[in-house]
Every structure is written in C-alpha cells, then in structure tokens.
Amino acid sequence: MATGCLSVPNQPKFDGLDSFQGKSYLTAEWPKEGVDFTGLKVGVIGTGSSGIQSIPEIAKQADQVYVFQRRPTYTVPAHNLPLDPEQVAVIKANYDTFRKENSLKTFGTRVPPPEPSAITISEEEREAAYEAARVRGGLGFGATFADLIQNEDANESAAQFIRNKIQAIVDDPETAKLLTPDYTAFCRRLCVDTDYFATFNRENVELVDISQAPIEKITSKGIVTNDKEHEVDALVFALGFDAITGALTRVDIRGREGLPLMEKWVDGPKAYLGLLTEGFPNLFMITGPGSPSVLSNMIPAIEQHVEWIANAIDHLRTNQLTTIEATSQAENSWARLVTLLAHKTLFRSCGSYYNGENVPGKPKVFMPFLGYPDYVQKCNDVVENGYKGFSLS
C-alpha cells in the first residue's frame, strides 16, 4: 500500500453547501489550470498549512477575502527563493553525504544540529538562536533546541518568540490577538508561510473568528456565522487530511476470515513497525501507522520502507516461504511503545492529525513513531534477529 499519509482530504460538510451559487474549491484538489479570483469576494475556511500558504496568494487577486479561523496556527517564514545554479550543483554533488547525515537526525532532515537546551542559556543567546533559525526559514525552526518538545519552559520560549513576531507584524491589535496561538507549540504541525501575517494588514482581508461562533450554514450567497451572512463569490476549503490511515481504510482490504481492515482498526491502528498488521499476511504498508511517517523527512522514510519490504520479499523467496505476518504480541508491544514515546513529549498536550483529532469519529491514537534513527535501527535489529516479531511460513 503506497497510498500516502496525506492523500485523502477532508471533504466540506456544512449545512446548505449544495445551495451555494458560486464556485467552490478544495485546496487539496486544486484545478490544474489554476483559478483567477480577480474582482471576486472569497471565503477561505481553514488556517492550517494549506490555508496559510494559499491565503496570501488569493488576497493578491481578490477584491475581498474573508478568512474563517477556528484555531490560530504557529507558522514561521519559508523563505522560498530561486536557487542559484552553483548552489544547486553543490547540493547535487553532495547527495550521498546529505543522505547519510539525514539518516542520523531525529526527523531525518538536514537542519543544523540543535543546541542542547533552550533554558540553560541566557535570554539574549536564546533569542539570537531563534532569530537565526527564523532567518534561515523552514521547519528547521522546530529543531533550534533539543528540548522544545520535551520541556514546557523550553517550548514556551519558542512559542512566545513566534507570538511576539505576530504582534510586531499585524497592525490591528484585535486581529493580532486572534492570530496568536495560546497552546503548546509544535504539538500540532508547525507550518511555513510567505507573508501570511502581513496579509492581514491588507484592506481587502478580514479575519472571522469561528471559535466561539461556528459556521451555522452556507447559503446561496455565502457563509453565516453568529446570524451574520458573509456574501462571497467563491469558497475555498482548506480542511486538512484524514492522515496516515485515511487512504488505507478507504480500500476494502480484508484479512484472514474476511476481517475488514477498518474493523481491525476500529479502536485505533496497530501495525508492527508500521509495516504489517496481524491478521493481514503480506499486506505491506509504506509509512503506515507506527512508523515515523509524517514526523520525518518523507522521502528517506519511504525509501527505507521500500528497501525493507523488498529485502523481506527476497528473504521469503530465498527460503521458499510465501507468507509474512506480524504477531499479535509484537504488534501490541509496538503500539504501546509508540504511545509511550509520544507521552514522554508535549505532543500529548493537544489534539492534531497526528492522533486523529481533526476527523470526527476517528479513534484518538497517536500514530507516528518518534525518532527516525532509532526506528531504522529497530527495523534492522528485527531483520538481524530472524524477523523477530513476524510469523514466516
């Protein structure tokens, strides 16, 4: 199953949606030919990664943009720029070195080594480190210090740094307040943006807080919140994904005795190493639940799984075997380990797509394995110990 961790978008489910007379778009299913919002009033629902990246671009075209926000998001600058050809040549010439370095990093990503702690140095040193990470841009900001996801005080220092930037960028104090997160940083996906907060200084952009007054319905003309109708010509839904398991459970996969995979995972997904699940022999999952998946650099994570699966199939053929299946004991032990690792961090402090919180009715189970190098080593150890935890026949 190479179906992807973020490949099933959450579909809009609002009363009255079918009555809307304008055009509507889902960020995850954007028209290939693009969209021209010139002269239109646009409503954008959702301020996660997709919303944060699309809102500034929509605002450059539209006459008016209403941004409907349920929860503010921590985001740092992406600083995406055209690459100099010489820089590209240097990077390509060093791919092998970069890959080896990535394999030793917590998230499998080439970022500067983190400082040990955010709370054992002076405030001036800490602020300088955050500023340097912000200037570099990208998700590496979350790895500025090694204890940002373990220590509440360290985490709060990073959170406050981002909050201060929001306050400094956004002109209107009330809008800045609404855009400022008050929860633990990094327990939900850190986002990257290009001029997201500055976009709210534009006269044609209005933030609509739906945390206290949720969207009541969609009418033929727009969106109703708190008995007020916001008339729009187009709707953009940036609603995120049914992450990690969404694509797997949408396929009618049946295991031994006809057991559906969705039924097997009714209380939450279990997959030994994130690769195979008991009762479903030879069903290999690439970056499945219980592997680093979305909390790692996806390209090396996918490649590591592909290589492990290929080697396992080769092992079966060489030894004239036809079946490999996770044992119930190994699967349950692995699920407990994934949960234990998460509970040792601040990921436990809020709901996110990491634990299915963004999909109504989805079991609330933390799905990614934390620690890319440790995970790879465990996978290698399993093989060296004769595929311990698997039944081969």
Side-chain angles (χ1 to χ4, degrees):
M1 301 300 292
T3 44
C5 292
L6 297 171
S7 56
V8 175
N10 290 326
Q11 299 292 328
K13 298 176 182 178
F14 296 99
D15 289 342
L17 178 59
D18 291 342
S19 69
F20 182 62
Q21 296 299 302
K23 291 187 176 181
S24 60
Y25 306 93
L26 198 64
T27 52
E29 298 174 351
W30 204 253
K32 291 183 179 179
E33 65 275 14
V35 182
D36 185 1
F37 291 108
T38 302
L40 301 181
K41 294 180 179 180
V42 182
V44 182
I45 301 176
T47 54
S49 183
S50 299
I52 282 170
Q53 294 179 62
S54 60
I55 288 165
E57 297 303 310
I58 295 170
K60 293 175 184 177
Q61 294 182 341
D63 273 6
Q64 177 69 40
V65 180
Y66 297 105
V67 177
F68 295 85
Q69 174 188 273
R70 182 168 61 94
R71 181 191 297 121
T73 304
Y74 287 102
T75 178
V76 294
H79 292 321
N80 291 325
L81 297 168
L83 294 176
D84 181 89
E86 292 183 5
Q87 183 183 5
V88 173
V90 170
I91 292 172
K92 288 186 174 182
N94 288 279
Y95 269 167
D96 288 346
T97 300
F98 294 159
R99 285 176 177 273
K100 290 176 183 177
E101 291 177 352
N102 287 351
S103 68
L104 300 176
K105 296 182 182 296
T106 301
F107 298 106
T109 303
R110 187 172 178 263
V111 295
E115 296 292 332
S117 174
I119 57 176
T120 58
I121 59 177
S122 69
E123 182 177 354
E124 291 75 16
E125 291 174 307
R126 185 167 55 241
E127 290 293 301
Y130 286 140
E131 187 62 37
R134 190 175 187 276
V135 169
R136 281 195 302 271
L139 295 173
F141 181 90
T144 308
F145 296 99
D147 56 355
L148 293 183
I149 200 62
Q150 285 87 23
N151 184 284
E152 292 184 2
D153 291 336
N155 185 283
E156 177 61 20
S157 71
Q160 192 57 51
F161 178 86
I162 297 175
R163 294 173 193 143
N164 291 341
K165 292 296 182 181
I166 298 171
Q167 301 295 321
I169 294 170
V170 181
D171 295 336
D172 178 63
E174 185 59 30
T175 301
K177 182 179 178 181
L178 291 174
L179 287 168
T180 303
D182 61 359
Y183 54 87
T184 303
F186 315 122
C187 64
R188 296 186 179 93
R189 186 184 187 276
L190 178 66
C191 296
V192 296
D193 73 89
T194 300
D195 298 327
Y196 175 66
F197 295 117
T199 296
F200 290 91
N201 293 331
R202 299 176 64 110
E203 292 184 359
N204 67 327
V205 178
E206 179 181 332
L207 182 64
V208 182
D209 178 22
I210 58 173
S211 62
Q212 301 301 319
I215 294 173
E216 297 172 11
K217 61 181 177 180
I218 292 177
T219 67
S220 60
K221 296 181 179 180
I223 301 172
V224 176
T225 63
N226 205 22
D227 295 327
K228 178 181 179 181
E229 184 175 37
H230 302 267
E231 293 190 5
V232 296
D233 304 301
L235 291 173
V236 175
F237 298 100
L239 304 177
F241 297 85
D242 185 352
I244 306 176
T245 58
L248 295 167
T249 55
R250 276 168 174 73
V251 181
D252 186 16
I253 303 170
R254 308 222 169 193
R256 296 192 185 278
E257 301 178 3
L259 178 68
L261 182 63
M262 181 179 288
E263 186 175 323
K264 164 74 187 291
W265 285 354
V266 68
D267 294 322
K270 292 181 180 179
Y272 184 39
L273 304 180
L275 282 160
L276 292 107
T277 187
E278 183 267 335
F280 292 76
N282 296 352
L283 175 66
F284 296 99
M285 290 170 280
I286 294 176
T287 63
S291 73
S293 64
V294 294
L295 282 177
S296 65
N297 184 344
M298 292 301 296
I299 292 173
I302 289 168
E303 290 180 345
Q304 186 261 338
H305 266 196
V306 169
E307 291 171 1
W308 193 98
I309 292 167
N311 290 335
I313 293 172
D314 186 57
H315 177 82
L316 293 175
R317 287 177 174 167
T318 300
N319 292 279
Q320 297 183 316
L321 301 168
T322 59
T323 303
I324 181 171
E325 181 180 351
T327 67
S328 178
Q329 181 180 1
E331 179 177 275
N332 289 330
S333 296
W334 187 257
R336 286 193 294 269
L337 176 61
V338 172
T339 300
L340 176 64
L341 291 174
H343 281 195
K344 288 183 176 181
T345 72
L346 298 176
F347 281 112
R348 68 183 185 278
S349 63
C350 68
S352 67
Y353 74 63
Y354 301 142
N355 61 12
E357 184 262 1
N358 67 320
V359 178
K362 189 170 182 175
K364 304 302 183 283
V365 176
F366 194 85
M367 292 177 279
F369 182 97
L370 291 172
Y372 182 73
D374 290 343
Y375 171 81
V376 174
Q377 185 59 53
K378 290 180 185 298
C379 287
N380 294 340
D381 291 344
V382 164
V383 174
E384 291 173 6
N385 285 280
Y387 287 90
K388 184 179 180 180
F390 292 102
S391 174
L392 282 61
S393 61

